[in-house]
Amino acid sequence: MPEILDGAIRRAVVIGNGFAGAENQCIGLVRALGFSNRHSLYRVTRPRGGINRWLKWLPVSIHKRLDSVIRMICGKSRFQTPHKIGISNVLDADAHHIATMARETFHKDGPLLVIASGRDTISVASSIKRLAPENVFLVQIQHPRFQLNRFDLVITPRHDYFPLTPHAQRQIPWFLRRWVTPWEPPGHNVVLTVGALHQADSAALRVAASAWHNELATLPKPLLVVNVGGPTGNCPYDVDLVKKLVVMLQNVLWSCGSIRISFSRRTPEKISKILVKEFATNPKVQIWDGEGSNPHMGHLAWADAFVITADSVSMLSEACSTGKPVYVIGAERCTWKFADFQNSLQKQGVARPFTGNENMTAESWSYPPLNDTAEAASQVVAALAQRGWTIRA
């Protein structure tokens, strides 16, 4: 078998958890490293539905064993739910299988780059590294909290270290600190970003601009894109905030050429209904109803400005990478490290609170775009070089 003498990485494995926010970060980093067409996606899955919604705090392996016991005892009952990977062509992540593949193909294909994101992937990803330490370079996205030496590189937003600040420590009972905060400050193998990694790089936006040209290029300018997420535990809001958003949009409507509103999969129906009721018949406003192709990338490419609810780190990170005005609604309702994230965006001048007093025609401001994904990729390349490995384009 031919020897690989150059230490070049030619392929990557992504370990996902079935959630778009986490997996998009992995794919974004894969794209930035040049592995768009040379990666495989594996997925760590949990049993879902029924009683399983209350068992998400358990480690995945224990959750699966408990689910099997419940199935054996209860049979076909309301506690039983089918195991689903989610996408038929996505393989279930098996640490032994991936580590064996890395070892057996090392001399032919070189080292294996493994990129994982999300709490549920930590055990599988670190096991791959433990089983094939000389054949794998492991990047973990989002903070694992402890034992960071299990990973070659950890990429995480700065606000994940907010719990270590004195202000945050006073908010956590001492007996919970070990479980909700990082155990130590960032070390040599930690790369800090402002926001989340994503796929909205310049090449992707050029493709999206072309794909959505016929639908979006002819809209009257300026085009204001409104992205509505959904309330979370650390960014709670209800219909009162959406009613406030309606009034604000009505106030700025005169200065907009057109407005495009879109919702995420997390948007509650009671929230989307309010916006649809208020703007469905307005000739200046278009609302994506979830049917057909998702216009999100087209919006990023063609928008002149954005209004985004504060709950989504991903949507805000993508919009702030365009250099276009980004207005946030609901930031004052965020708590904990998510409030720290909102503060960091405003301090850097990449986002401003949405007041409803803006003149979208006259106000045009810019900033150095967030470049977290490309900067993280460069750190991966540098860490590989320290090990004597390179990326083969």
Side-chain angles (χ1 to χ4, degrees):
M1 213 174 270
E3 285 281 339
I4 294 292
L5 299 177
D6 57 359
I9 293 180
R10 296 166 169 82
R11 67 257 167 83
V13 160
V14 169
I15 311 292
N17 61 0
F19 292 94
E23 292 185 359
N24 282 341
Q25 295 198 66
C26 294
I27 303 301
L29 184 59
V30 161
R31 284 179 54 89
L33 291 169
F35 289 108
S36 294
N37 300 316
R38 293 180 292 154
H39 72 275
S40 302
L41 174 61
Y42 294 79
R43 186 166 285 157
V44 177
T45 60
R46 283 182 180 270
R48 296 187 181 183
I51 197 175
N52 289 300
R53 73 182 66 180
W54 307 109
L55 302 178
K56 293 179 180 179
W57 56 274
L58 290 172
V60 176
S61 58
I62 296 176
H63 186 177
K64 287 184 174 180
R65 292 193 195 103
L66 182 58
D67 180 69
S68 297
V69 172
I70 292 174
R71 289 166 180 272
M72 291 174 60
I73 296 174
C74 301
K76 289 188 177 296
S77 72
R78 63 192 178 93
F79 296 106
Q80 185 177 16
T81 55
H83 287 282
K84 292 183 179 179
I85 293 180
I87 300 177
S88 59
N89 63 345
V90 177
L91 299 172
D92 199 14
D94 183 293
H96 287 273
H97 167 75
I98 297 172
T100 299
M101 180 264 290
R103 290 195 304 267
E104 292 181 350
T105 61
F106 179 76
H107 290 293
K108 178 184 177 183
D109 298 321
L112 179 67
L113 176 64
V114 177
I115 301 175
S117 180
R119 178 171 62 93
D120 285 351
T121 69
I122 291 172
S123 176
V124 170
S126 59
S127 293
I128 295 170
K129 178 66 178 177
R130 176 175 53 82
L131 294 168
E134 301 303 318
N135 314 106
V136 166
F137 189 91
L138 175 58
V139 178
Q140 185 72 35
I141 301 173
Q142 297 182 339
H143 204 289
R145 287 207 312 273
F146 59 91
Q147 294 181 346
L148 303 192
N149 59 349
R150 293 174 292 172
F151 313 95
D152 291 298
L153 213 59
V154 172
I155 301 174
T156 191
R158 288 186 180 87
H159 62 256
D160 274 356
Y161 279 95
F162 171 75
L164 290 182
T165 64
H167 174 68
Q169 290 284 298
R170 289 193 293 270
Q171 301 178 46
I172 315 170
W174 66 267
F175 56 88
L176 290 179
R177 289 175 186 170
R178 185 177 181 85
W179 306 107
V180 299
T181 68
W183 287 14
E184 57 190 17
H188 70 281
N189 66 331
V190 177
V191 175
L192 297 179
T193 63
V194 176
L197 307 188
H198 53 80
Q199 301 185 55
D201 55 37
S202 57
L205 293 182
R206 284 195 298 270
V207 172
S210 176
W212 288 90
H213 179 274
N214 292 342
E215 184 169 342
L216 301 180
T218 56
L219 293 178
K221 296 286 190 175
L223 169 58
L224 177 65
V225 166
V226 181
N227 289 332
V228 180
T232 64
N234 287 297
C235 282
Y237 60 88
D238 207 340
V239 295
D240 61 322
L241 182 68
V242 182
K243 291 178 179 177
K244 182 179 177 182
L245 174 60
V246 167
V247 173
M248 290 178 172
L249 290 176
Q250 289 171 337
N251 288 342
V252 302
L253 190 58
W254 68 270
S255 67
C256 298
S258 49
I259 294 178
R260 296 264 299 194
I261 300 175
S262 64
F263 307 106
S264 79
R265 283 170 287 191
R266 297 185 297 104
T267 309
E269 188 177 5
K270 63 180 180 180
I271 286 177
S272 59
K273 276 185 173 180
I274 294 174
L275 287 161
V276 170
K277 180 182 177 181
E278 292 294 332
F279 294 109
T281 59
N282 192 303
K284 271 192 171 186
V285 181
Q286 297 178 1
I287 302 176
W288 182 56
D289 59 4
E291 298 295 325
S293 300
N294 189 330
H296 181 62
M297 291 296 289
H299 286 170
L300 289 172
W302 284 103
D304 295 299
F306 302 90
V307 171
I308 302 175
T309 54
D311 55 274
S312 178
V313 174
S314 295
M315 288 195 297
L316 284 166
S317 299
E318 290 168 339
C320 291
S321 71
T322 66
K324 302 172 185 177
V326 177
Y327 299 96
V328 184
I329 182 167
E332 71 283 355
R333 304 189 182 206
C334 292
T335 59
W336 195 233
K337 63 181 183 179
F338 297 96
D340 188 62
F341 170 64
Q342 298 294 336
N343 290 336
S344 70
L345 293 183
Q346 294 188 29
K347 285 180 181 177
Q348 291 196 41
V350 301
R352 298 177 182 178
F354 186 46
T355 65
N357 298 318
E358 292 81 4
N359 182 335
M360 295 299 172
T361 301
E363 292 184 22
S364 181
W365 49 279
S366 61
Y367 48 87
L370 294 187
N371 200 27
D372 285 333
T373 308
E375 291 172 1
S378 68
Q379 291 295 320
V380 173
V381 172
L384 285 169
Q386 290 181 0
R387 191 163 172 178
W389 291 349
T390 60
I391 296 281
R392 175 61 61 86

